[in-house]
Amino acid sequence: MNLEQTIIDVLHDIGTPPHLKGYMYVTEAVTMVHEDYSLIYNVYRNLYSQIAEKFNTTVPRVERCIRSVVDYTYDHGDPDTLYKYFGNCIGKNTWKPTNRVFIATVVQWVRVRCTK
């Protein structure tokens, strides 16, 4: 299965709309972490800086846009679906995942779907 389409499918399932500015940053982050999982261990210095360089923007802007995607997805997504995907990472209606947890979880689901 195509990696890009799998990422889009997972994001669609959890209720992430593609019109958000940070959507392209999230898809890029998931792609990069899928290829090199060690990027997830130093998100700000490694992952965000590479994304910022690629899109000719700043690291804080990348972080803020990804945060807005996470917030929007969690605020507007179906709680049962979010719980299915994030399980123990988040409590039902209690708190939102961090950017790092959000990206890592999406990567894990993409890997699951790619191996099917």
Side-chain angles (χ1 to χ4, degrees), residues 46-65:
N46 293 333
L47 185 62
Y48 293 166
S49 64
Q50 289 180 33
I51 294 170
E53 187 176 313
K54 179 175 181 176
F55 289 97
N56 196 28
T57 189
T58 64
V59 172
R61 182 165 290 170
V62 169
E63 181 181 32
R64 189 170 51 252
C65 287

Side-chain angles (χ1 to χ4, degrees), residues 6-116:
T6 306
I7 293 168
I8 291 169
D9 291 346
V10 170
L11 292 174
H12 179 265
D13 286 351
I14 61 175
T16 305
H19 72 273
L20 298 175
K21 184 172 186 168
Y23 186 87
M24 63 184 171
Y25 299 150
V26 170
T27 56
E28 184 64 27
V30 171
T31 302
M32 292 171 68
V33 172
H34 183 268
E35 293 170 1
D36 180 8
Y37 199 79
S38 68
L39 291 172
I40 202 70
Y41 299 115
N42 197 345
V43 174
Y44 197 86
R45 185 171 290 142
N46 293 333
L47 185 62
Y48 293 166
S49 64
Q50 289 180 33
I51 294 170
E53 187 176 313
K54 179 175 181 176
F55 289 97
N56 196 28
T57 189
T58 64
V59 172
R61 182 165 290 170
V62 169
E63 181 181 32
R64 189 170 51 252
C65 287
I66 291 175
R67 183 77 235 157
S68 71
V69 167
V70 173
D71 289 344
Y72 187 95
T73 299
Y74 192 79
D75 290 341
H76 296 90
D78 176 46
D80 292 329
T81 304
L82 290 168
Y83 190 75
K84 173 189 159 199
Y85 275 83
F86 291 92
N88 296 332
C89 299
I90 61 172
K92 224 175 192 178
N93 298 323
T94 56
W95 62 276
K96 299 170 188 169
T98 63
N99 291 3
R100 179 179 174 203
V101 168
F102 184 86
I103 292 165
T105 303
V106 172
V107 168
Q108 293 304 319
W109 279 99
V110 166
R111 287 182 174 176
V112 165
R113 289 193 180 187
C114 284
T115 58
K116 287 185 177 181

